[in-house]
Amino acid sequence: MKNFMTLLIAVSALLIVSGCSTPAGNVMPGATPPNLADNAVSAARAARFREITAGFSVRGIGIYPEAFENRYSPAEVTARISGLGFNRVYCTITTEKALNENFAALLRELGNAGLPVEVVLRQQDFYRRNQTNQLIRNLVWQYPTLKDAALAVLKFNAELPEDVRKISGITLVSGAHTFTNANVERTRGQLYAWAEDRYGIGQDNDMLMKQMFALFKEIAALPGMLPLTIGVQDFYHENAVAGKLSCGYIKDFAKLGKVMVINRGNVATRLVKRVEDELKYAGHEKILITIPLAEHTSFDQGKLRRRDWNDFCRAIEYAGTHFNKYPACGGIVVSPLAVIEFLRQER
């Protein structure tokens, strides 16, 4: 009896720590600058951004509902997106619980404004933890897999009210490289772990890429699947070309759907440099370029740094001028809205 009570206390503590939903990931709150620019200045900035991005057929914006839920109404969010000239919305869902009435209300507003919406599912947000102890396995929350999440989106979309515009597509963001030995969210029992010294055909990175590609292919074949976009990291293709990965070429992912290359350039020149090979290789196959923004100016890699609104606009204009030289450039997706709005409103 004593041993059972000890186990029960341990399980209870584990449940408290584990929680009951998928972790929200790195989501910046919809912050407001402490010093606001005049309305005329903010309006002029939005007009300038529309001018800079007008040459892209797809002008996408990435949003996180968690960043503004209970802070801004769907009408306010939609107005800000429209005001900046975006014509497609990529909404990242980090938990299936986000497929709720609030999201439906946002879809209604965006649809009424003529803005199509794709739901973005990141591979690293949806995994299943395996517990070896039978008692714990039955009690601990089971995180949905990426396939589970895709099925949940399809079900949610089918059940939307008639006055809500349907979801236009699903974007799967590749995350094979996130499953390292240091990642505590990596599924237990996984044989492979990503590392810089594990490139090579048949090595860990290659096997993780094969697993990911097989999963994406399985999701693409789901009955009633929406148009699919694959978010590809900007270093996959270069390593495939170098013979370090057996899959990872742009053409591999293009077989599953539209390709979106996630640009990890941290300054304007690197934004161009990091995706030139993909744009050349794609030829006339249209691909999208995602530009994630650093939440702080101190970030030195992985996301675009910027000092202020003017610096941000210069980077986008420079990158756009070079991207549009290639027939493969199908547009850009800038993310997240919260950072863009902070910059636009900052004095």
Side-chain angles (χ1 to χ4, degrees), residues 138-155:
N138 290 335
L139 294 176
V140 173
W141 175 269
Q142 291 294 297
Y143 295 88
T145 64
L146 191 63
K147 182 178 177 181
D148 294 332
L151 287 169
V153 172
L154 295 178
K155 183 175 184 294

Side-chain angles (χ1 to χ4, degrees), residues 130 179 181 186-193 204 207-208 211:
N130 299 319
F179 295 101
N181 279 327
R186 179 167 153 265
T187 303
R188 288 188 61 184
Q190 172 61 263
L191 294 176
Y192 310 106
D204 284 32
M207 299 305 292
L208 284 167
Q211 288 179 355

Side-chain angles (χ1 to χ4, degrees), residues 1-15 133 135-136 139:
M1 182 67 180
K2 182 179 179 181
N3 290 339
F4 176 77
M5 288 302 296
T6 301
L7 177 60
L8 186 60
I9 292 171
V11 170
S12 299
L14 181 59
L15 287 171
N133 183 284
L135 175 60
I136 294 178
L139 294 176

Side-chain angles (χ1 to χ4, degrees), residues 124-273:
Q124 65 264 35
D125 288 333
F126 297 98
Y127 54 88
R128 190 175 298 279
R129 284 181 174 168
N130 299 319
Q131 301 292 342
T132 55
N133 183 284
Q134 182 64 44
L135 175 60
I136 294 178
R137 187 186 307 129
N138 290 335
L139 294 176
V140 173
W141 175 269
Q142 291 294 297
Y143 295 88
T145 64
L146 191 63
K147 182 178 177 181
D148 294 332
L151 287 169
V153 172
L154 295 178
K155 183 175 184 294
F156 174 79
N157 196 45
E159 296 174 352
L160 283 172
E162 291 184 3
D163 66 327
V164 178
R165 182 173 177 174
K166 298 288 188 181
I167 295 167
S168 298
I170 292 177
T171 297
L172 303 178
V173 176
S174 56
H177 64 289
T178 65
F179 295 101
T180 66
N181 279 327
N183 186 350
V184 296
E185 296 177 351
R186 179 167 153 265
T187 303
R188 288 188 61 184
Q190 172 61 263
L191 294 176
Y192 310 106
W194 191 281
E196 286 302 309
D197 61 354
R198 294 179 182 178
Y199 278 105
I201 306 303
Q203 297 298 315
D204 284 32
N205 298 353
D206 189 46
M207 299 305 292
L208 284 167
M209 288 290 292
K210 288 180 178 180
Q211 288 179 355
M212 180 183 71
F213 191 82
L215 174 61
F216 284 8
K217 188 174 182 181
E218 185 179 347
I219 293 173
L222 289 173
M225 187 60 191
L226 297 171
L228 194 61
T229 299
I230 307 296
V232 181
Q233 305 300 322
D234 63 10
F235 55 90
Y236 286 172
H237 178 80
E238 66 183 65
N239 281 295
V241 171
K244 297 178 180 179
L245 297 172
S246 58
C247 62
Y249 294 95
I250 291 297
K251 67 180 181 182
D252 293 332
F253 293 103
K255 293 174 184 177
L256 302 177
K258 192 164 188 173
V259 174
M260 174 194 291
V261 180
I262 300 170
N263 194 325
R264 290 159 53 89
N266 62 336
V267 294
T269 53
R270 291 183 185 176
L271 286 177
V272 175
K273 192 70 175 175

Side-chain angles (χ1 to χ4, degrees), residues 65-66 69 91-107 117-121 126 144-161 167 169-170 226:
E66 298 99 322
E69 197 168 10
C91 183
T92 298
I93 300 298
T94 58
T95 167
E96 75 285 2
K97 295 182 183 299
L99 299 170
N100 53 30
E101 293 181 1
N102 292 331
F103 187 46
L106 177 62
L107 290 175
V117 179
E118 287 199 29
V119 170
V120 180
L121 304 174
F126 297 98
T145 64
L146 191 63
K147 182 178 177 181
D148 294 332
L151 287 169
V153 172
L154 295 178
K155 183 175 184 294
F156 174 79
N157 196 45
E159 296 174 352
L160 283 172
I167 295 167
I170 292 177
L226 297 171

Side-chain angles (χ1 to χ4, degrees), residues 299-312:
F299 278 31
D300 61 1
Q301 61 182 0
K303 296 180 181 179
L304 176 64
R305 293 180 297 171
R306 70 287 171 280
R307 292 187 295 274
D308 53 27
W309 176 262
N310 291 330
D311 190 39
F312 164 62

